[in-house]
Amino acid sequence: MRTANPHDRVVVVGGGIAGLAAALHLAPLPVTLIVASPLGEQACTPLAQGGIAAAIGADDHPALDAADTLQAGAGLSDPDVAARVAAAAPACIEWLVAQGTRFDRTASGDSLILGLEAAHSRRRIVHADGDGTGRCVLDALIHTIRQAPSIQIVENHRVTDLALDGHGAVAGVVCVSGRSNENDEPVLIPGRAVVLATGGIGGLYAHTTNPLSAVGGGLALAARVGAVLRDLEFVQFHPTAIEAGTDPMPLATEALRGEGVVLINGRGERFMQDIPGAELAPRDVVARAIFAQIGAGERVFLDTRHVLGDRITSRFPGVTALCRDAGLDPVRDPIPVRPAAHYHMGGIKVDDQGRSSVEGLWACGEVASTGLHGANRLASNSLLEALAYAASIADAIKGTVSQRLTERSLSPPLDTRPSLFGQLTPDLQQIRPIMDRQVGVLRDGAGLQDAIGRLRALMRNGRAAEVRAAGMVGLMIAMSAYRRNESRGAHQRLDHLELRPEQHTEITLGQALRLAAEIDETAAPARRVA
Ligand SMILES: Cc1cc2nc3c(=O)[nH]c(=O)nc-3n(C[C@H](O)[C@H](O)[C@H](O)COP(=O)(O)OP(=O)(O)OC[C@H]3O[C@@H](n4cnc5c(N)ncnc54)[C@H](O)[C@@H]3O)c2cc1C
């Protein structure tokens, strides 16, 4: 194994908003930024349409923003985290402006235009290029980062393992070239600290808005070194992915409903009218209502015609283009939609500064569980969370680096375990339908048990290493859902519609494997009888 860039640097993994913001905030510390693809591709960040929540309107206050976050989180959002992130939002927006992001402004140019999204009590969504926020933000950060002298960018390299030092602390990463990892030698990149910013898990589901590469790779890396993962069962299904026969599915942003666009079924009926909040109810409520219509044999549409008419082309140019690519004319036709896996509230458990339970390992962005989102994420809170935590992580690493270096050297041989990853293009077709049907919008104990058995088998016997890793992540999500015997936020158990006292689920890989083996043993006699 070759060793590159020895010693004294921080390794950041991921080229979305979380990775880039962390790398920039870490300056002047030397950073190696590793991204599986060319920068700007295969990440959720450029797909973000709605924008970034920030309480900067005259009628708004961070306390109101935090209260909306707590309300959406269904009892599991941490009030301190919500208050801290909401308070940090105006500075995060200013920071992005300083990096070159051009947010949409009023005609005079004096103030930012603020959009409204579901479950926000005020207009507070800052956006850029209409519905092109994520792309604009990412382009600005990429431009800055390419000129940052402290940051070495390693594109098209995929981290396959975390390296441990002799004390069990994470002390680097192993990566392979994304072009042809079959023959390439793995490269070991040591680091004082590793920040995982690897994004979400939507690609594990048959219907998703995420890039198909978003299969929880960061969760697998962290789980394998013993990190505690939290609230993995909370997967947000976006209610209005556009049904256009594409995989992944394009998104019709919530901001459309914020502008008054309504949902109708195939008979032209508004089925959300009598539900509290109507079309602007929390995402899980809208997703389940649409799912129920689909279950009853209906198709569901977003009807923009009366509220927006041809204004949709200027206010929502991205959605308009996506529709037109799919052969739809949103000025004249209602847009067909359905729920799709969109965002993972659960993740690597981190503290207030983004530190995981394993020394030397940090997590930022969607891969982390900070306590902000609880059981359901409030719209436009994830870009904000990544920005707020990137700054905290950088401050904390700057404060702790010298201590670690003097206390312990990297001289003990690094322990790199055999990689679970191997192939670049995963064949996840065996996993995706299981996740969709049994770990999806609606769940029950029997279905989850069955999913656990199947995912365990794929984890153990999957032909490609990446299928085995994805099976492991799917198994841990299914196991967490199985253990939560209640319905809360995005997690709806048909066999447990009740609410129980509020608590988080925490799981390690070791626990998940033990529990899965027990479940399999219990199910085995039943299978033999059948
Ligand atoms: C369609 C859509 C619309 C959205 N709209 C909004 C919105 O309006 N507002 C909002 O706040 N949120 C929105 N979200 C959610 C938000 O975009 C994401 O939560 C956020 O961008 C995640 O950022 P991230 O940096 O954590 O991950 P990502 O942006 O997904 O980046 C992950 C990066 O990690 C890299 N990576 C992964 N594994 C490895 C590995 N093993 N080795 C090397 N690199 C690796 C990937 O290549 C990628 O570069 C939306 C999401 C989607 C899908």
Side-chain angles (χ1 to χ4, degrees):
M1 184 179 293
R2 264 183 314 129
T3 302
N5 301 322
H7 315 310
D8 190 21
R9 48 182 52 235
V10 179
V11 178
V12 177
V13 187
I17 190 168
L20 300 194
L24 285 167
H25 280 295
L26 279 160
L29 284 185
V31 166
T32 297
L33 175 72
I34 306 173
V35 187
S37 63
L39 268 185
E41 296 176 19
Q42 288 183 34
C44 281
T45 301
L47 304 177
Q49 296 177 347
I52 304 175
I56 54 178
D59 64 343
D60 207 354
H61 189 277
L64 296 174
D65 191 358
D68 290 344
T69 296
L70 295 182
Q71 178 72 27
L76 288 184
S77 289
D78 181 328
D80 292 340
V81 174
R84 208 156 20 82
V85 172
C92 290
I93 300 295
E94 276 171 31
W95 184 79
L96 284 177
V97 171
Q99 308 308 311
T101 309
R102 294 160 69 100
F103 288 113
D104 295 334
R105 292 182 171 270
T106 52
S108 65
D110 293 345
S111 44
L112 298 172
I113 299 175
L114 299 176
L116 180 66
E117 287 192 351
H120 282 277
S121 59
R122 296 287 188 278
R123 282 193 164 265
R124 62 166 75 100
I125 312 303
V126 178
H127 47 83
D129 196 16
D131 53 7
T133 310
R135 170 52 63 197
C136 290
V137 165
L138 200 65
D139 284 350
L141 294 181
I142 290 172
H143 182 74
T144 313
I145 219 158
R146 289 214 186 273
Q147 294 163 28
S150 59
I151 302 172
Q152 176 199 26
I153 305 169
V154 181
E155 289 169 273
N156 297 310
H157 275 69
R158 191 163 10 172
V159 171
T160 57
D161 287 284
L162 298 175
L164 302 178
D165 70 10
H167 304 268
V170 170
V173 302
V174 177
C175 63
V176 292
S177 156
R179 286 187 301 276
S180 65
N181 57 25
E182 288 280 294
N183 304 319
D184 278 8
E185 216 186 324
V187 181
L188 171 64
I189 302 184
R192 316 166 147 184
V194 172
V195 182
L196 289 178
T198 48
I201 53 135
L204 292 175
Y205 285 81
H207 295 94
T208 183
T209 61
N210 290 190
L212 299 187
S213 54
V215 292
L219 297 180
L221 292 170
R224 294 187 64 227
V225 295
V228 174
L229 309 184
R230 181 169 60 181
D231 292 343
L232 295 186
E233 64 276 26
F234 293 119
V235 179
Q236 184 169 76
F237 295 87
H238 197 289
T240 57
I242 302 174
E243 251 202 313
T246 53
D247 184 19
M249 299 171 79
L251 185 71
T253 172
E254 204 139 40
L256 285 160
R257 282 174 281 133
E259 297 294 327
V261 167
V262 294
L263 285 161
I264 55 171
N265 61 21
R267 284 174 287 151
E269 294 163 355
R270 256 190 88 188
F271 54 89
M272 290 299 298
Q273 222 160 3
D274 299 330
I275 296 174
E279 274 84 358
L280 289 181
R283 279 189 180 169
D284 58 307
V285 176
V286 183
R288 283 196 288 272
I290 295 177
F291 205 69
Q293 292 284 320
I294 292 171
E298 286 289 348
R299 290 193 75 196
V300 172
F301 301 87
L302 270 173
D303 191 355
T304 67
R305 296 171 298 181
H306 307 297
V307 176
L308 290 174
D310 57 11
R311 232 170 20 95
I312 190 170
T313 57
S314 54
R315 171 65 181 93
F316 297 100
V319 172
T320 305
L322 291 170
C323 287
R324 292 196 166 141
D325 287 350
L328 298 164
D329 177 1
V331 178
R332 286 186 318 156
D333 307 320
I335 306 169
V337 292
R338 63 155 292 144
H342 181 63
Y343 183 81
H344 197 200
M345 276 74 74
I348 301 168
K349 182 185 175 190
V350 294
D351 69 9
D352 288 354
Q353 294 180 304
R355 200 182 272 108
S356 80
S357 60
V358 177
E359 199 187 340
L361 182 65
W362 308 68
C364 188
E366 191 165 337
V367 73
S369 168
T370 63
L372 180 68
H373 307 300
N376 207 358
R377 176 187 67 124
L378 185 64
S380 286
N381 257 358
S382 42
L383 297 176
L384 171 62
E385 180 198 44
L387 289 167
Y389 272 81
S392 305
I393 287 171
D395 285 349
I397 290 178
K398 284 176 188 171
T400 54
V401 161
S402 50
Q403 195 193 348
R404 265 200 77 197
L405 277 185
T406 50
E407 271 179 6
R408 134 181 338 167
S409 82
L410 296 181
S411 52
L414 292 170
D415 163 23
T416 62
R417 298 155 187 225
S419 176
L420 272 170
F421 295 82
Q423 296 186 353
L424 191 62
T425 313
D427 176 10
L428 297 173
Q429 298 316 331
Q430 303 163 81
I431 291 175
R432 299 180 79 203
I434 301 174
M435 296 301 287
D436 235 43
R437 279 201 294 269
Q438 291 170 307
V439 200
V441 177
L442 301 175
R443 301 145 177 201
D444 64 36
L448 288 166
Q449 258 194 23
D450 188 60
I452 288 166
R454 289 166 191 266
L455 292 164
R456 180 169 177 251
L458 284 165
M459 179 190 160
R460 291 162 64 160
N461 309 322
R463 266 183 304 157
E466 194 153 5
V467 172
R468 295 197 292 277
M472 176 218 282
V473 176
L475 170 70
M476 294 182 78
I477 296 171
M479 182 62 74
S480 303
Y482 180 69
R483 289 164 80 203
R484 185 173 287 281
N485 288 326
E486 63 165 350
S487 291
R488 180 187 294 278
H491 171 74
Q492 181 90 357
R493 282 279 297 258
L494 292 172
D495 53 345
H496 284 289
L497 292 171
E498 71 278 11
L499 267 180
R500 288 178 184 259
E502 291 150 11
Q503 58 176 14
H504 295 279
T505 55
E506 294 189 358
I507 198 161
T508 60
L509 179 57
Q511 287 166 344
L513 294 181
R514 265 196 310 281
L515 288 167
E518 278 170 31
I519 289 173
D520 240 21
E521 263 170 41
T522 323
R527 272 205 301 270
R528 273 200 295 276
V529 171

